Amino acid sequence: MLYHQLPPQFNNTPVRLSNKEAKLAGNFIQNFFGAYHLHEIRRSLAALTEIALTTNNTHFEDAKERDSILWFYYELEIFIEAVWFHHQSTSKPKTKPKKKSK
């Protein structure tokens, strides 16, 4: 289903996660980066963008639409890297401070 065919209630509303699941978003981030490495994500994004822009697709006939998808790709890559950094900083085991000997 194309984005413009979605009912209005899907605008700016999560469709994959429930409110309960949203409270556990860190688990989904951990699972995502456990399944995909950063280089694999970049490769997949590049492949999706290349396919979208190099196949006969009337949606991307207009130069503004192609520019828009490239900008979205760039911003999505930055977002994924930001989440990756956040994941790296929160998933490392915390070391307990050593007790001072008396």
Side-chain angles (χ1 to χ4, degrees):
M1 181 179 285
L2 298 174
Y3 71 92
H4 62 277
Q5 296 172 327
L6 292 173
Q9 66 266 28
F10 287 106
N11 293 340
N12 288 322
T13 304
V15 295
R16 300 285 183 203
L17 296 179
S18 67
N19 287 336
K20 184 179 178 182
E21 291 171 323
K23 293 177 183 172
L24 304 170
N27 292 344
F28 291 96
I29 293 168
Q30 186 172 352
N31 290 341
F32 181 81
F33 286 108
Y36 301 98
H37 296 283
L38 198 52
H39 72 277
E40 293 171 319
I41 298 165
R42 284 193 184 107
R43 187 178 61 231
S44 295
L45 280 175
L48 289 170
T49 302
E50 182 179 344
I51 290 166
L53 297 178
T54 60
T55 57
N56 289 333
N57 186 334
T58 58
H59 184 73
F60 298 110
E61 285 180 351
D62 182 50
K64 286 184 181 183
E65 290 294 334
R66 291 190 304 274
D67 181 58
S68 180
I69 195 77
L70 289 171
W71 184 254
F72 179 75
Y73 167 87
Y74 172 76
E75 292 294 320
L76 187 57
E77 189 173 30
I78 290 171
F79 172 76
I80 290 170
E81 288 182 8
V83 175
W84 182 85
F85 277 117
H86 178 74
H87 169 69
Q88 293 298 307
S89 68
T90 58
S91 65
K92 291 182 181 172
K94 307 275 191 233
T95 56
K96 294 181 181 178
K98 293 181 181 178
K99 293 183 180 180
K100 293 181 182 179
S101 44
K102 294 183 180 183

